[in-house]
Amino acid sequence: MKEALFYFFEKETAMIEIKDLSKVYQTKKGSVSGVDRVSLTIAEGNIFGIVGYSGAGKSSLIRCLNLLEKPTSGQIEVNGVDLTKLKGPQLRKARLKIGMIFQHFHLISQKTVAENIAFALRAAGTPRNEIEDRVTELLEMVSLADKKDVFPAQLSGGQKQRVGIARALANNPSVLLCDEATSALDPNTTLSILRLLKKINRELNITIVLITHEMNVVKEICDRMAIMQDGKVIEEGSVYDIFSNPQTPLAEEFIKSVVSFDIPEAILNECRGRILKVLFRGHVAGEGVITDTIQQFNIKGNFLHGSIEYIQERPLGIFLMEVQGNHKAINKAVSYMEERGAQVEVIRNGL
């Protein structure tokens, strides 16, 4: 155990392995399953998003990761150390390497920005002569050096969250847990906080686990993601793969909140041709496949909707279009687009 603990604390980055994890709550009405046999592997240095609606179990899961909630069963390994087997001083020491930021900031209102951050350092036993320099370093990292002596009530929501991030980073964690960290913020502030988290991830190589119900958050910074429903993980993979090829109705529902292609029924009723949904992955999204297809097979094409989204810095093109012409030519055109790397779905065959 001593060797394993040494390895855990000395290694700069972390990999999390969740094995068959369950959390059951006892209520007056009986047992309620918050997390139901979840298994996930989170690679070191990744930003991993966990998505789900309220009650899906994502908050219970993330609170189990640092044992704020004690799991009913299963294992949580960080760099090969099972945290569920640690107790007392060992567990407290392990938690210092797992920072956490919250939706509602949880700052101490009677303390200044600097004192809020210093509080975390003092709690960890940091030598007094090192605290001031570390606080200054952290405030510069989150772009709040000029707010050192300000109280939380004088800060905006985004600034409060930056203080929360600085405090979570105070003890050089290997893992940063984000519990709906942007849900209380406006869109512009959310984007600035996400960019800060991405910068921290890249510069410090900290593994970030982020829970949210907003797919825009996942699309902006996550490498991989899991979708939860009723305490279970129902889909897991790279953000790009899930956006480009969702496997469950819930994943499709979440994606539509970010990329919507609903066409008014009145416009659809005016269409007489075949209506296609055409999806291009990767570099193919930037090529003129549709234009080439229309010219080569002598068909008419009418774009109804379309865009190119950039996910993990890779393009994903999605288009809705009406095509008219000889049925045989249209079938050949569809086959040609598929040969060029497109995924084509017939929404309606035409009137």
Side-chain angles (χ1 to χ4, degrees):
M1 174 61 78
K2 287 183 179 179
E3 290 182 3
L5 282 173
F6 178 80
Y7 175 73
F8 174 77
F9 292 120
E10 290 299 309
K11 195 170 176 66
E12 292 182 355
T13 57
M15 185 271 279
I16 302 169
E17 187 120 15
I18 304 167
K19 299 178 180 179
D20 205 28
L21 192 75
S22 292
K23 174 63 181 177
V24 178
Y25 297 94
Q26 300 299 327
T27 71
K28 292 180 180 180
K29 296 182 179 180
S31 299
V32 176
S33 180
V35 180
D36 189 359
R37 291 171 294 177
V38 166
S39 295
L40 288 172
T41 298
I42 301 173
E44 58 183 347
N46 263 210
I47 304 179
F48 194 98
I50 300 174
V51 183
Y53 288 124
S54 178
K58 58 190 189 299
S59 290
S60 294
L61 176 60
I62 202 169
R63 290 173 69 84
C64 283
L65 294 188
N66 59 0
L67 271 67
L68 285 178
E69 296 273 6
K70 187 176 180 181
T72 304
S73 61
Q75 294 176 282
I76 301 163
E77 293 185 2
V78 181
N79 283 334
V81 176
D82 185 355
L83 301 187
T84 62
K85 291 187 168 68
L86 304 182
K87 295 180 181 179
Q90 290 180 330
L91 180 56
R92 286 193 292 274
K93 194 172 183 181
R95 280 178 174 151
L96 293 178
K97 293 299 177 183
I98 305 174
M100 190 163 188
I101 61 176
F102 304 89
Q103 178 181 357
H104 297 297
F105 323 127
H106 294 333
L107 302 179
I108 304 169
S109 59
Q110 297 86 359
K111 293 183 180 292
T112 65
V113 166
E115 289 168 343
N116 266 276
I117 300 169
F119 182 81
L121 291 162
R122 283 197 296 271
T126 304
R128 183 176 296 180
N129 63 331
E130 297 177 13
I131 289 177
E132 186 174 353
D133 286 345
R134 180 60 175 157
V135 169
T136 299
E137 179 186 6
L138 290 163
L139 287 173
E140 289 175 354
M141 186 183 301
V142 299
S143 303
L144 286 180
D146 60 333
K147 303 294 183 183
K148 180 178 180 180
D149 299 317
V150 167
F151 288 90
Q154 299 169 275
L155 301 176
S156 67
Q159 290 170 335
K160 289 176 183 177
Q161 195 56 283
R162 286 173 181 268
V163 178
I165 292 170
R167 181 184 57 191
L169 295 175
N171 295 300
N172 295 304
S174 303
V175 175
L176 184 60
L177 306 179
C178 304
D179 187 358
E180 297 278 10
T182 61
S183 294
L185 306 176
D186 64 73
N188 287 336
T189 305
T190 291
L191 187 58
S192 72
I193 293 297
L194 294 178
R195 286 173 176 168
L196 174 59
L197 290 173
K198 195 167 189 175
K199 176 185 174 185
I200 288 166
N201 167 257
R202 288 179 171 175
E203 292 183 0
L204 304 181
N205 198 36
I206 292 176
T207 303
I208 297 178
V209 183
L210 183 152
I211 71 165
T212 183
H213 60 275
E214 300 171 292
M215 283 295 279
N216 266 323
V217 169
V218 173
K219 175 176 171 285
E220 184 66 31
I221 65 166
C222 292
D223 302 301
R224 295 183 67 82
M225 64 180 291
I227 297 177
M228 290 191 70
Q229 185 176 39
D230 299 328
K232 301 177 185 290
V233 169
I234 62 168
E235 191 162 350
E236 190 263 335
S238 79
V239 173
Y240 191 91
D241 287 345
I242 289 179
F243 264 81
S244 63
N245 190 26
Q247 299 296 304
T248 61
L250 184 59
E252 291 182 355
E253 187 176 323
F254 272 117
I255 291 166
K256 284 180 180 178
S257 70
V258 178
V259 185
S260 177
F261 290 94
D262 292 332
I263 305 297
E265 196 65 30
I267 293 178
L268 289 176
N269 290 337
E270 292 177 2
C271 298
R272 293 292 178 266
R274 193 180 304 185
I275 298 176
L276 307 176
K277 179 181 177 182
V278 187
L279 184 145
F280 297 100
R281 294 185 180 89
H283 67 88
V284 180
E287 298 178 356
V289 175
I290 292 177
T291 302
D292 293 347
T293 302
I294 290 171
Q295 292 175 347
Q296 183 167 334
F297 294 95
N298 193 30
I299 59 176
K300 288 178 62 178
N302 176 30
F303 283 100
L304 303 175
H305 205 322
S307 72
I308 296 179
E309 300 286 335
Y310 287 87
I311 301 166
Q312 296 176 294
E313 300 179 357
R314 295 170 61 196
L316 176 65
I318 309 174
F319 302 92
L320 283 179
M321 60 183 296
E322 176 193 17
V323 292
Q324 293 180 316
N326 179 278
H327 284 295
K328 190 174 291 187
I330 291 175
N331 290 337
K332 288 182 178 179
V334 169
S335 297
Y336 174 76
M337 286 191 286
E338 290 175 337
E339 289 169 4
R340 291 283 299 272
Q343 177 181 316
V344 183
E345 178 185 351
V346 178
I347 303 298
R348 197 172 70 184
N349 269 313
L351 302 177

